[in-house]
Amino acid sequence: MNVRNCKMCGKIFNYVVGPVICPRCREAREEKFQEVKKYIDEHRGADILEVSEECDVEPGQIHQWIREERLQFADDSPIKIACEGCGTMIRSGRFCDKCKAEMTNGFRDAMGLNKTSVKEPAHRETKSDGNRMRFL
Ligand SMILES: [Zn+2]
Ligand SMILES: [Zn+2]
């Protein structure tokens, strides 16, 4: 049994997998998520600070939901987060399209498509028998 302290309330609970948060806090956080989602739906012009204050939730938590691609924003929403690769402002996820494409290429390289195994031709040793001509 893996007993841990909940990161949010400090209560001891039986930890299984994922973030170190007890079931009760997990549920509370899920309710908070629904509240944030609803607020964003109803206030499309709201930025992260406003959502954070109105819903009483950490801006960092909102960022995390955006990274997890759980929150959807209207095209005119001011809410954007920085790409973890280049800092371009994006609307969801962790990376912009450009970085995603680059990572796909990097992945391909890592798979070893540019691996060239050049084998040197084996040297054939020419042995001379050592026949000597004798001049008489
Ligand atoms: Zn807790
Ligand atoms: Zn990027």
Side-chain angles (χ1 to χ4, degrees):
M1 212 160 78
N2 191 2
V3 175
R4 304 278 282 270
N5 283 84
C6 170
K7 264 206 296 194
M8 294 178 84
C9 68
K11 230 180 66 180
I12 288 171
F13 72 106
N14 188 14
Y15 176 73
V16 186
V17 72
V20 187
I21 294 168
C22 74
R24 192 180 297 189
C25 289
R26 200 183 289 249
E27 210 171 285
R29 202 175 61 153
E30 199 53 35
E31 273 171 28
K32 193 55 92 177
F33 171 74
Q34 295 303 333
E35 192 185 327
V36 167
K37 197 164 178 284
K38 191 159 167 273
Y39 187 85
I40 289 168
D41 273 354
E42 288 168 0
H43 304 81
R44 285 169 180 268
D47 59 17
I48 287 184
L49 214 65
E50 185 187 328
V51 176
S52 157
E53 279 171 10
E54 290 298 318
C55 300
D56 188 27
V57 57
E58 293 284 310
Q61 178 63 75
I62 299 173
H63 277 247
Q64 196 192 319
W65 284 327
I66 298 171
R67 297 257 186 243
E68 289 168 359
E69 299 186 36
R70 294 187 69 188
L71 289 173
Q72 304 283 329
F73 300 104
D75 285 344
D76 56 350
S77 166
I79 296 183
K80 282 191 177 119
I81 53 169
C83 163
E84 287 183 15
C86 66
T88 301
M89 295 314 277
I90 53 173
R91 223 172 271 282
S92 76
R94 298 175 59 196
F95 299 100
C96 69
D97 290 343
K98 201 175 126 246
C99 288
K100 269 188 211 165
E102 270 168 23
M103 279 192 303
T104 312
N105 288 341
F107 180 67
R108 216 174 287 154
D109 285 348
M111 291 297 284
L113 283 187
N114 53 3
K115 187 173 64 188
T116 43
S117 54
V118 180
K119 273 193 179 173
E120 293 220 355
H123 283 292
R124 204 172 289 167
E125 277 183 37
T126 43
K127 278 183 185 169
S128 56
D129 287 341
N131 286 343
R132 274 187 286 166
M133 296 268 279
R134 256 186 211 188
F135 292 99
L136 294 171

